[in-house]
Amino acid sequence: MCLNYGGMIIESIVTTLNEAGEANFAPMGVTIGEGEILIRPYTDSTTCRNLVATGSAVVNLTDSIRLFAESAVSNPQFPTFAAELITGLVLTDACSYYECSVMRADTASPRATFRCRVVKKGVLREFIGFNRAKNAIIEAAILATRVRLLGVETILQEYRRLSEIVQKTGGEQEAWAMRYLQDYVERQPR
């Protein structure tokens, strides 16, 4: 597989549809290459089930940290519009997006591998970038998805460090996202 970026993982929101047309939004690191994208969801995830069922996804690149926080720990419904070349949905708050069609799937191990062909790339607005606070929220969202593996106390300890970064370098959106994720983790069984 010849992917560029040296195999670097890019954080995105992957949108998939189930066979009934219901949307799922999942924050996920993907590897973007020349004309293709590698998506590696866990086999027990909704994203994996939807990719197997429909063979398509939209990979959304966004600087809206709220999308990462909400989709990591809940089943939100965000504003979208229909993809053009696949059956799928594009986030209206994406900076850019890739409409993808599955070329090859390997679901034999706990992390499935979907090699997807990019059938369309779209740009909606300029990507402003991430500051330290936005990066901290990405890390907090990843930790929240692993609360069963790592435990509440371990994550809350790391959240104290991440919260300092958010307070020093973030704005309202980042402060909201940090509170949202912390509230979710604190509600989990200990």
Side-chain angles (χ1 to χ4, degrees):
M1 171 181 272
C2 181
L3 294 174
N4 63 8
Y5 299 120
M8 182 170 62
I9 295 173
I10 307 296
E11 298 302 327
S12 69
I13 306 291
V14 176
T15 58
T16 56
L17 300 175
N18 65 17
E19 290 174 318
E22 298 165 327
N24 182 65
F25 303 92
M28 188 167 300
V30 299
T31 305
I32 301 173
E34 195 63 43
E36 59 187 51
I37 294 181
L38 191 66
I39 304 174
R40 298 198 62 229
Y42 287 99
T43 54
D44 63 349
S45 70
T46 301
T47 299
C48 185
R49 287 190 298 276
N50 289 353
L51 282 167
V52 168
T54 66
S56 62
V58 176
V59 174
N60 300 274
L61 304 182
T62 183
D63 54 10
S64 173
I65 213 65
R66 185 178 188 128
L67 297 176
F68 285 97
E70 287 188 76
S71 60
V73 299
S74 63
N75 190 23
Q77 294 302 300
F78 299 120
T80 59
F81 61 90
E84 288 182 33
L85 300 179
I86 62 162
T87 302
L89 297 172
V90 177
L91 287 167
T92 58
D93 204 9
C95 298
S96 61
Y97 64 93
Y98 299 87
E99 296 180 20
C100 301
S101 177
V102 175
M103 296 186 301
R104 224 174 289 141
D106 177 1
T107 58
S109 43
R111 291 264 325 247
T113 301
F114 292 90
R115 187 174 175 183
C116 302
R117 181 172 49 93
V118 174
V119 296
K120 180 181 193 255
K121 179 182 181 195
V123 177
L124 301 178
R125 62 183 174 85
E126 182 180 9
F127 178 75
I128 301 300
F130 288 145
N131 66 358
R132 289 182 65 214
K134 288 182 186 280
N135 285 326
I137 298 303
I138 296 281
E139 291 303 316
I142 292 167
L143 286 169
T145 67
R146 297 183 175 147
V147 70
R148 289 180 297 181
L149 299 171
L150 301 174
V152 171
E153 295 308 322
T154 300
I155 292 173
L156 290 177
Q157 181 178 352
E158 183 63 14
Y159 274 15
R160 286 189 277 285
R161 185 183 72 77
L162 294 171
S163 291
E164 286 182 37
I165 294 169
V166 169
Q167 289 171 357
K168 289 178 183 176
T169 64
E172 271 184 46
Q173 187 181 85
E174 293 80 15
W176 177 90
M178 192 70 223
R179 281 191 310 274
Y180 183 83
L181 292 167
Q182 184 152 349
D183 289 347
Y184 169 80
V185 171
E186 288 174 345
R187 288 192 312 270
Q188 301 311 301
R190 294 176 193 238

